[in-house]
Amino acid sequence: MESKVSEGGLNVTLTIRLLMHGKEVGSIIGKKGETVKKMREESGARINISEGNCPERIVTITGPTDAIFKAFAMIAYKFEEDIINSMSNSPATSKPPVTLRLVVPASQCGSLIGKGGSKIKEIRESTGAQVQVAGDMLPNSTERAVTISGTPDAIIQCVKQICVVMLESPPKGATIPYRPKPASTPVIFSGGQAYTIQGQYAIPHPDLTKLHQLAMQQTPFTPLGQTTPAFPGMDANPQASTHELTIPNDLIGCIIGRQGTKINEIRQMSGAQIKIANAMEGSAERQISITGSPASISLAQYLINARLTSEVTGMGTL
């Protein structure tokens, strides 16, 4: 790969990932996708936006370096325009800087910071942009967030220099990309009904209620003294199957809960049997086996994911 970096002389295909909030993504997509379509056409870069109803989304920009710079310029100017528009209704006089968050493999962050912070200092001084590399990796990934803020021009210059560093020192080893988690809403079961918490209110959740009732009717273990099938003409023990899940070690605690309270709650609500394997030496993950009817398994999976998400998004207090 050529490391000669003159304007326009750098024409290697690169991929840069950006982390954005929903509102920023909306601004880039524009009405009926017109803004992003225009950005794609004018820059020549591929711009992909991750799916999902997540509070954060990943915007991936791929193309020859000059196309990437054009796309970045268009995004930075669009964000500046948003800031100016939002300021027209506010008394603030100083214009806040445009801020972009890049997602960079942790193995490349060392080169970006440089010995004793020399490289990042040089980038800040030569571009006038503020650059910060997060100390911690993003959840469940080997990537870190790099926040750049400044005027659109400073940001474009800064991105050019970051691209150069990334081309000169490719990532080492495998990169586990950061995938934002959907915004989870905690769930409560009461009187056989499922409710999701939104703000201060509990909203009935018909799909989960149905799943909960199904799971309860199909418990593989017939309660004492009950021998009648849950459904007439249907065996009370429909085919129980087992589903395996893998959970990172550092998140297993939030699923088990204090003295097993959370995992017991999930067992009771779903009617499934849940076994957590012991930690394997040298492995960063634990196996969870869920056994039960299809409804029990899907409800147990939903509840485990809801616990994980609330932990990762910091809503674990609920």
Side-chain angles (χ1 to χ4, degrees), residues 26-44:
S27 160
I28 281 183
I29 295 173
K31 277 200 188 102
K32 295 184 185 164
E34 281 166 16
T35 312
V36 74
K37 184 170 174 243
K38 188 176 169 211
M39 284 179 178
R40 286 180 180 131
E41 285 168 1
E42 291 188 16
S43 67

Side-chain angles (χ1 to χ4, degrees), residues 64-129:
T65 44
D66 51 357
I68 286 182
F69 301 150
K70 274 186 204 144
F72 259 95
M74 294 176 82
I75 290 172
Y77 283 116
K78 178 73 183 86
F79 282 177
E80 186 182 50
E81 193 185 303
D82 294 345
I83 291 171
I84 293 167
N85 290 342
S86 68
M87 281 182 64
S88 58
N89 318 324
S90 89
T93 47
S94 63
K95 192 170 69 174
V98 172
T99 301
L100 293 179
R101 286 180 300 162
L102 307 187
V103 181
V104 176
S107 59
Q108 289 178 297
C109 287
S111 312
L112 191 55
I113 293 166
K115 266 205 188 106
S118 56
K119 187 71 199 168
I120 200 161
K121 183 167 177 260
E122 181 194 312
I123 295 176
R124 284 181 189 135
E125 287 172 359
S126 63
T127 63

